[in-house]
Amino acid sequence: MTVDHPQVRSGTASRVSELLSRLLPYLGMFVLALLLWMPFGFKDMGLIEEIPINGLLDSGHSLFFITPSSVMSLSRSRPLLTFSFSAAYTLDPNSYQFYNIFMMLFFFGKMVVVYWLVLKFLPGKKLLAFVVGVLFMLYPADTGLFALRVIHAHSAVLAYLLALYLLIQFRVLHGWISWLALLGAGFMIIFSLGQYQIALGAAMVTPFVLLYFGRPYRRTVIAAFAWYASVAMIMLYEVWAGKQPGVTAYEDALVPTSVFTREAFKSMLKAVLVGYERQINGWLAAFNKLNVLPFYWPYVVAALVVSIGIGWWLLHHYRDAESQPISRWRYVLLMVAGLLLFPIGISTYLPLPYYRFNEFRIYLLAMLGSAFVLALALYLLTRTLGRYRDQIFVGLALPFIGLGFLSAFQQHQYYVNASLDQQSILQQIGQQAPQLKPDTNIVVLDRAGTLNKTYVFYKGTYLEASLRYLYKDKTLIAGNCPFYGATAQSDNCQFGATGLEITRPNDTITVSYDHMLLFSNELDGQLKLLTATEVPAEYHLTGYDPMSRIVGQTLPYRMTTLFSCDPALSCYHEIPNALNGAASTTFDLSQADDIGFGWRETEFDEYGDFFHWSVNSMPWVNVNLTDAVDLSLEFRIEHWLNIKVIDSLTLTVNGQDISLTYTTRKSGGRLYHATIPHGISAGQPIHQLIFKTDAPSTVQAAAGTKLGFTLYDLHVRPAQP
């Protein structure tokens, strides 16, 4: 006989309800992070560094910790740089699935830890903490949010934030648990700086945060000592590792570019101001992306519904905590701290001219200050209202959350599309040449220019590594031949009597015709294996017999594990932009890396202006212009290696030469002007501005690099009558 005790059942139910109440906000955060991957899945491939790193791991190298004798000793001063890469590969060596899963978990983790941190500084303000966490996850100011190549930077930011939280826990807790928190803080800051020094500047001032929680006493000193000892430990190791003999460490190559002259400090200050401006303009840019809402509206709506639901839950269950008064000076102090966190968050990059004006990955930590300031400003604004001020706060935050998700989806789509371009090339090669003899050479004649994109095998550089990974064949050699001349990563291919010579930045490879498979990448995205009779006669491929290199029809195993879709391009969604919308009478050169053909990726000068180096004698810029009216074109050139290059400069539109004039600037550069007459393309859109020059010159310090001129500030406007 058993006795039923209602009070026991009631107590158990109460505890379960309490547990669910605590877990629900975290479940909501997880769903929000998951939504960022829902339209795309988890099979995005690596695009740049991830490819050779995966190749090294596939060859059996251990890269959880990079030593001075490691195959990646170039990065030995960041010993944990490839820890996340190695963990992802270990869990699934046949795809990049866990790279994506880890990225999603890092997004979730950052939301959670920021939620905890805000509650430490503003106890009871769970709604505010939730909004700050969400905004930080997707703040639209950094262009590298979804690039798998910065997985270590996301991990480093998360580790730093967790270290900060544990340090505060040591300050406010007592007993053995507090010492465990201090040990964890030391471990996490070492783990953060060992991967990437994005939080180095923040780590230098972190112990001062403890003053917010009361006057300093013995435990404050212990906490500060343990923190700085941990920072010193990893930094001393990194300095020691960097000084070991061998190839110059990455940081040692960067440090000499740092200068601390008066002009350099002015440039650093401008970089900070430009960064603040980008924190505002990021929202304006997100608003201008409303034209992509039809692609993602179900996911944006889901994100808003989840945010509203979690907001309602927090208000309903923690109303008393939300109403706890907090002194005004704390809000003011935290607002100032949020503003200061931005320059502190980018301080690691400020001494480096190449990075300080960039917007790729350098804001991943600094955006926390931006997100906090925005959320706190909205929160304080609603404190002046009456009964429904918390609901109004949620209402004010929702447009920013919606725009943040929209911007995030579009950026994620950009990287997904690049991954699909890569997957399509690998798929089509694998389908037409399933099993190969050892020492086979694969060459892609790139008529479509797909391999000229920065995020497609890094302009073809990592095509070979990707094919070796696909086929599990380390003897395979691969290269690409730019159809319209040299790209930033490859010179023109030279078809000789018995072989093809491809000059690359660091070496020259010779491909024997009797070992070669020649694929043609057509304008429609189709990759075709050319037979001996289909090879253009001018190439004179003596002994070319591709069928003799194919020894079986069984697809490589990784053809079944690596790809998102079959065919890959069936999942490709064109991102609406100025180049694929209606033709216009205006154009402004984009800061994007891929502006056309024959250019290096975007670089910045000491004034924060971006430019592109030309790398062949016929570079072009992609445009989408109408010839309905006369168009005024203007651009400037500031640098060149050989005066003959710009003296020979001509401009062609639709096969017709356009007269160029220029004025000399005080800097010594040239400001060019031209008029494109109406009707030049017979009413069809103008898609390219083609420049022609003498051949670029070889850079003395880099024998495999050729540069022509720097293109700045290209603008097109209707000509004034």
Side-chain angles (χ1 to χ4, degrees):
M1 178 177 179
T2 59
V3 179
D4 194 13
H5 295 283
Q7 64 271 26
V8 174
R9 293 201 312 272
S10 177
T12 302
S14 177
R15 286 193 296 272
V16 171
S17 177
E18 176 70 17
L19 179 62
L20 290 176
S21 176
R22 290 177 178 272
L23 290 179
L24 193 62
Y26 302 111
L27 179 60
M29 294 182 212
F30 180 80
V31 171
L32 290 176
L34 182 62
L35 278 170
L36 293 172
W37 268 261
M38 288 297 289
F40 314 109
F42 291 88
K43 286 295 187 75
D44 291 356
M45 284 184 60
L47 301 178
I48 301 187
E49 292 96 334
E50 317 94 297
I51 296 175
I53 290 173
N54 229 39
L56 292 173
L57 293 167
D58 208 43
S59 298
H61 296 282
S62 177
L63 297 177
F64 280 101
F65 191 93
I66 300 172
T67 67
S69 60
S70 167
V71 68
M72 279 192 64
S73 61
L74 173 70
S75 301
R76 61 187 179 273
S77 51
R78 294 175 181 170
L80 297 170
L81 173 74
T82 52
F83 184 91
S84 296
F85 297 80
S86 299
Y89 175 85
T90 300
L91 291 170
D92 182 3
N94 294 309
S95 78
Y96 289 84
Q97 181 168 264
F98 274 91
Y99 284 79
N100 289 274
I101 292 174
F102 281 172
M103 284 279 279
M104 188 269 290
L105 292 177
F106 292 155
F107 275 52
F108 168 61
K110 288 191 292 183
M111 259 194 299
V112 169
V113 179
V114 166
Y115 178 76
W116 292 345
L117 283 170
V118 174
L119 291 178
K120 285 297 177 185
F121 289 96
L122 296 170
K125 306 303 179 184
K126 291 180 178 290
L127 187 59
L128 173 61
F130 172 71
V131 171
V132 174
V134 175
L135 291 179
F136 174 51
M137 177 184 70
L138 43 75
Y139 202 95
D142 195 290
T143 61
L145 280 179
F146 297 98
L148 296 183
R149 60 187 290 218
V150 297
I151 187 174
H152 60 295
H154 284 290
S155 178
V157 169
L158 175 57
Y160 166 73
L161 294 174
L162 191 53
L164 171 58
Y165 174 76
L166 292 172
L167 188 70
I168 295 171
Q169 286 291 79
F170 173 76
R171 172 64 178 78
V172 300
L173 297 177
H174 296 281
W176 67 270
I177 192 74
S178 67
W179 294 100
L180 190 61
L182 183 61
L183 181 64
F187 175 81
M188 294 310 297
I189 191 59
I190 289 174
F191 188 63
S192 174
L193 297 178
Q195 293 180 91
Y196 196 56
Q197 297 92 348
I198 190 170
L200 180 59
M204 293 295 101
V205 299
T206 294
F208 292 98
V209 171
L210 299 179
L211 299 177
Y212 178 88
F213 299 95
R215 293 185 177 183
Y217 72 119
R218 186 174 64 91
R219 289 176 70 85
T220 312
V221 175
I222 292 173
F225 176 80
W227 180 271
Y228 285 124
S230 300
V231 172
M233 187 184 307
I234 185 63
M235 295 309 298
L236 287 173
Y237 173 82
E238 291 178 356
V239 171
W240 172 83
K243 299 303 180 185
Q244 296 308 296
V247 63
T248 303
Y250 181 73
E251 279 80 1
D252 286 350
L254 283 179
V255 168
T257 68
S258 305
V259 291
F260 296 95
T261 62
R262 180 179 178 183
E263 290 301 314
F265 279 112
K266 288 171 63 177
S267 181
M268 292 181 207
L269 176 60
K270 182 173 181 180
V272 172
L273 296 177
V274 168
Y276 277 124
E277 183 181 355
R278 286 172 177 168
Q279 306 308 295
I280 299 171
N281 290 343
W283 292 110
L284 299 177
F287 182 80
N288 290 330
K289 293 172 183 175
L290 287 173
N291 62 328
V292 304
L293 186 58
F295 293 95
Y296 310 113
W297 71 265
Y299 305 101
V300 174
V301 169
L304 294 176
V305 169
V306 171
S307 300
I308 292 171
I310 297 302
W312 174 86
W313 182 268
L314 293 173
L315 285 175
H316 180 72
H317 288 268
Y318 300 100
R319 186 175 300 278
D320 292 340
E322 285 286 342
S323 62
Q324 291 180 9
I326 292 179
S327 60
R328 185 176 301 175
W329 74 267
R330 288 187 180 272
Y331 286 123
V332 173
L333 181 61
L334 290 173
M335 182 68 79
V336 172
L339 291 170
L340 291 177
L341 179 57
F342 179 78
I344 292 172
I346 63 172
S347 59
T348 301
Y349 301 96
L350 289 178
L352 307 173
Y354 179 78
Y355 290 99
R356 68 173 64 119
F357 287 103
N358 214 312
E359 54 184 345
F360 178 85
R361 77 175 170 264
I362 77 168
Y363 300 136
L364 291 180
L365 175 60
M367 292 188 305
L368 175 56
S370 307
F372 181 76
V373 168
L374 173 59
L376 186 58
L378 296 176
Y379 184 81
L380 293 178
L381 179 64
T382 59
R383 296 310 92 183
T384 62
L385 305 175
R387 180 179 176 184
Y388 297 106
R389 59 188 184 180
D390 289 324
Q391 291 84 347
I392 295 173
F393 169 61
V394 174
L396 290 177
L398 285 176
F400 291 97
I401 293 174
L403 289 174
F405 268 93
L406 188 62
S407 177
F409 284 133
Q410 189 193 31
Q411 186 188 130
H412 202 166
Q413 185 75 65
Y414 172 79
Y415 291 108
V416 167
N417 284 353
S419 172
L420 293 172
D421 276 332
Q422 291 188 167
Q423 292 183 31
S424 178
I425 290 172
L426 296 178
Q427 270 183 349
Q428 294 184 71
I429 290 176
Q431 288 164 352
Q432 296 176 71
Q435 298 291 326
L436 302 173
K437 289 181 180 179
D439 298 311
T440 295
N441 305 326
I442 294 176
V443 177
V444 177
L445 183 60
D446 189 23
R447 297 176 183 272
T450 307
L451 289 164
N452 183 53
K453 298 177 182 178
T454 300
Y455 280 102
V456 177
F457 304 117
Y458 192 44
K459 296 181 182 279
T461 301
Y462 297 129
L463 174 63
E464 179 177 283
S466 297
L467 285 169
R468 287 182 172 185
Y469 177 71
L470 176 66
Y471 283 100
K472 296 185 180 181
D473 180 1
K474 305 308 175 187
T475 69
L476 188 150
I477 294 176
N480 70 292
C481 293
F483 193 67
Y484 297 100
T487 69
Q489 299 300 324
S490 174
D491 286 343
N492 286 320
C493 296
Q494 300 297 321
F495 288 88
T498 59
L500 167 65
E501 185 177 278
I502 305 176
T503 303
R504 302 189 294 196
N506 299 317
D507 64 359
T508 297
I509 61 173
T510 300
V511 176
S512 174
Y513 293 146
D514 59 1
H515 282 61
M516 183 175 74
L517 301 182
L518 182 62
F519 289 84
S520 178
N521 185 29
E522 302 299 329
L523 296 176
D524 60 1
Q526 296 302 305
L527 206 68
K528 181 181 180 182
L529 175 60
L530 300 181
T531 66
T533 58
E534 292 173 324
V535 172
E538 64 266 24
Y539 292 163
H540 305 293
L541 269 58
T542 305
Y544 176 66
D545 183 10
M547 294 302 107
S548 68
R549 305 303 304 176
I550 301 173
V551 294
Q553 295 301 315
T554 303
L555 293 176
Y557 173 70
R558 284 175 173 159
M559 286 283 289
T560 65
T561 63
L562 187 58
F563 305 126
S564 305
C565 306
D566 187 14
L569 294 182
S570 65
C571 294
Y572 193 101
H573 295 291
E574 190 74 50
I575 301 173
N577 58 45
L579 296 181
N580 54 38
S584 174
T585 57
T586 64
F587 175 81
D588 296 295
L589 186 67
S590 168
Q591 192 172 307
D593 287 333
D594 299 316
I595 62 169
F597 186 87
W599 308 97
R600 291 220 307 194
E601 58 266 28
T602 307
E603 299 177 60
F604 293 85
D605 63 19
E606 64 271 26
Y607 306 107
D609 296 331
F610 69 89
F611 62 90
H612 297 264
W613 274 103
S614 68
V615 296
N616 70 19
S617 58
M618 196 179 72
W620 69 68
V621 174
N622 291 329
V623 295
N624 187 16
L625 298 168
T626 176
D627 69 346
V629 298
D630 289 350
L631 300 174
S632 176
L633 169 71
E634 183 176 280
F635 62 91
R636 62 185 173 100
I637 294 175
E638 293 291 345
H639 308 286
W640 51 86
L641 295 188
N642 188 334
I643 190 67
K644 293 181 180 179
V645 170
I646 59 168
D647 282 346
S648 64
L649 178 66
T650 61
L651 174 66
T652 302
V653 175
N654 278 41
Q656 298 188 38
D657 291 335
I658 304 298
S659 176
L660 285 173
T661 61
Y662 71 86
T663 55
T664 302
R665 292 166 46 84
K666 290 182 179 179
S667 63
R670 296 181 178 183
L671 180 63
Y672 282 84
H673 307 271
T675 298
I676 303 174
H678 73 278
I680 194 172
S681 62
Q684 298 300 311
I686 300 170
H687 292 302
Q688 294 171 346
L689 304 176
I690 300 175
F691 299 91
K692 295 181 181 179
T693 68
D694 285 351
S697 301
T698 300
V699 179
Q700 291 183 355
T705 302
K706 293 185 177 182
L707 300 176
F709 62 89
T710 57
L711 179 66
Y712 283 81
D713 296 338
L714 189 151
H715 304 286
V716 177
R717 296 290 185 270
Q720 297 298 318

